[in-house]
Amino acid sequence: MPDHSQARDNPPEGFRRIDFDRDRPDPTFNSHIGNLYAKRGAKGTRDEFVLGFRVHQHMCNPAGGLHGGMMMTVADLVGTMGGGTLVGLRKFLPTVSMTFDFVAPARVGDWVEGRAEVVRQTRSLLFTDISLTVGEERFLRASQIAKIPSGDGLAFGKARLVRDEKAAVASSPPPQG
């Protein structure tokens, strides 16, 4: 289980930890990769939805750079969560296709931010461009196509932003082992 302490991650002001496993008996994949945070800004700005995380050693490859699998996982979440937020969808959007360009490495201690830009939306598909950055330097560019489920679809209601870290830790299941 990830460390739920925000002190270790030291997220910038306005970022709240995402609790992907709220009320689930077993943790999901997203909980195993490390703490992820989100910040909501003014509608129509580049900060309307920002996903962030602190790079830790367990997220890196043997060369010391952020592992490509971690980059792809985060980009996928930025595309579906961020893109969905930008167009007003509160549904789980399954990824249909993604492409990635790895531009530079991120290193242990870096604060990474991910942003999505909606390219196009049809009745059944959402097309986004995604950037992962450290400061102003983009180190990953991705393009994603996500399926917009018909009807109500599976709500994206399990994940929530943690408002009170002490309450989130208290409500977390005890470690297995």
Side-chain angles (χ1 to χ4, degrees), residues 88-102:
L89 294 172
R90 293 285 300 159
K91 298 179 180 185
F92 177 78
L93 305 175
T95 302
V96 174
S97 175
M98 285 193 81
T99 61
F100 302 91
D101 297 317
F102 301 93

Side-chain angles (χ1 to χ4, degrees), residues 6 9-16 37-41 47 50 54 111 113 115:
Q6 287 192 15
D9 293 330
N10 191 24
E13 189 172 332
F15 280 90
R16 302 279 184 240
Y37 298 83
K39 176 177 81 168
R40 299 291 305 271
D47 289 339
V50 184
R54 181 77 56 198
W111 177 258
E113 293 186 356
R115 291 174 175 80

Side-chain angles (χ1 to χ4, degrees), residues 96-170:
V96 174
S97 175
M98 285 193 81
T99 61
F100 302 91
D101 297 317
F102 301 93
V103 181
R107 302 278 180 210
V108 169
D110 286 345
W111 177 258
V112 172
E113 293 186 356
R115 291 174 175 80
E117 179 181 328
V118 174
V119 175
R120 182 172 177 232
Q121 179 183 1
T122 68
R123 184 178 52 75
S124 61
L125 297 173
L126 181 64
F127 298 79
T128 57
D129 282 340
I130 299 138
S131 292
L132 297 186
T133 60
V134 173
E136 294 300 314
E137 182 183 347
R138 181 165 63 175
F139 67 90
L140 178 117
R141 191 202 68 75
S143 295
Q144 180 186 64
I145 302 169
K147 172 81 172 123
I148 300 172
S150 59
D152 291 336
L154 178 64
F156 198 48
K158 285 283 185 190
R160 68 176 173 89
L161 298 182
V162 175
R163 303 286 180 207
D164 178 359
E165 191 65 21
K166 289 179 186 172
V169 172

